[in-house]
Amino acid sequence: LDGWNFKFFLEGTTISSLTNPVYKWYTNPNLTGTPYIGSDYTIALTNTTTFYVTLEADGYCFTTPAASITVVVSPPVLIPSIISLNGATTACEGEFVTLVANSPGAVSYQWYKDSVLVPNATTSTFNATLSGNYTVIAYNATNCASSQSAPISVTIYSVPAMPQITPSGNLIICEGEFVNLTASLGSSYQ
């Protein structure tokens, strides 16, 4: 939650007999230093912090004990890197390219193809069966998300239709004779 904003609200029974109530927020249990004053407090946090709040009003002083709340800030999740398991980013139709994401501290991932979420693709390994640009987001144990990874491009080549072989003549020949075989539905043949 590095740098995230939190807004705290004081809720409870309204004390209507108080005149000019003042809420003071502190970050130490000794209630020293300059407090933030207001009934709600919005702050960007970069580390775990305990907040203490007191209520004062004309003719009243409510300094102890202060109400407290601790906000735990999880460590940031690093942007994951993606590699192809065998180094190849191309395959033929019916095959796949295995992609592997890595982000230290991540416990789950979410894969995207061409910026669209891939349903049920939440592990560090993903088998890409379609051409496209794949990215991933990593999540830690508290479900904090990383930024999206750099894309990796995968190309899945189409398999051409099975060629047809047409003989020009008899398929039973004598040694030394020739038969001409012609293939169709292709631009090159081997």
Side-chain angles (χ1 to χ4, degrees):
L1 298 180
D2 188 25
W4 282 37
N5 289 323
F6 289 90
K7 187 169 188 173
F8 300 99
F9 299 93
L10 292 177
E11 295 182 342
T13 305
T14 303
I15 304 174
S16 60
S17 62
L18 293 179
T19 305
N20 298 320
V22 176
Y23 299 95
K24 293 182 179 180
W25 296 86
Y26 299 88
T27 56
N28 67 76
N30 297 326
L31 309 178
T32 58
T34 304
Y36 174 83
I37 297 175
S39 62
D40 60 295
Y41 187 14
T42 302
I43 185 169
L45 298 175
T46 57
N47 54 17
T48 298
T49 305
T50 300
F51 295 91
Y52 304 86
V53 66
T54 63
L55 172 61
E56 300 174 11
D58 290 350
Y60 294 94
C61 188
F62 300 86
T63 57
T64 57
S68 66
I69 188 169
T70 299
V71 178
V72 177
V73 178
S74 294
V77 183
L78 299 177
I79 298 172
S81 59
I82 304 174
I83 63 165
S84 168
L85 187 60
N86 66 2
T89 57
T90 62
C92 290
E93 189 176 356
E95 299 174 347
F96 54 84
V97 173
T98 300
L99 303 176
V100 180
N102 182 35
S103 177
V107 296
S108 67
Y109 295 84
Q110 179 58 63
W111 289 90
Y112 294 81
K113 178 189 166 293
D114 300 327
S115 300
V116 177
L117 183 140
V118 179
N120 303 314
T122 58
T123 64
S124 62
T125 303
F126 178 74
N127 291 327
T129 59
L130 299 171
S131 293
N133 290 313
Y134 288 85
T135 57
V136 68
I137 293 176
Y139 294 88
N140 67 12
T142 57
N143 211 33
C144 295
S146 71
S147 295
Q148 199 164 45
S149 70
I152 187 169
S153 182
V154 172
T155 302
I156 305 295
Y157 294 110
S158 297
V159 175
M162 179 74 71
Q164 299 293 318
I165 302 172
T166 307
S168 64
N170 196 347
L171 291 178
I172 301 173
I173 60 173
C174 295
E175 186 176 333
E177 293 181 339
F178 296 92
V179 63
N180 187 26
L181 303 174
T182 304
S184 60
L185 293 179
S187 59
S188 65
Y189 307 97
Q190 291 187 354

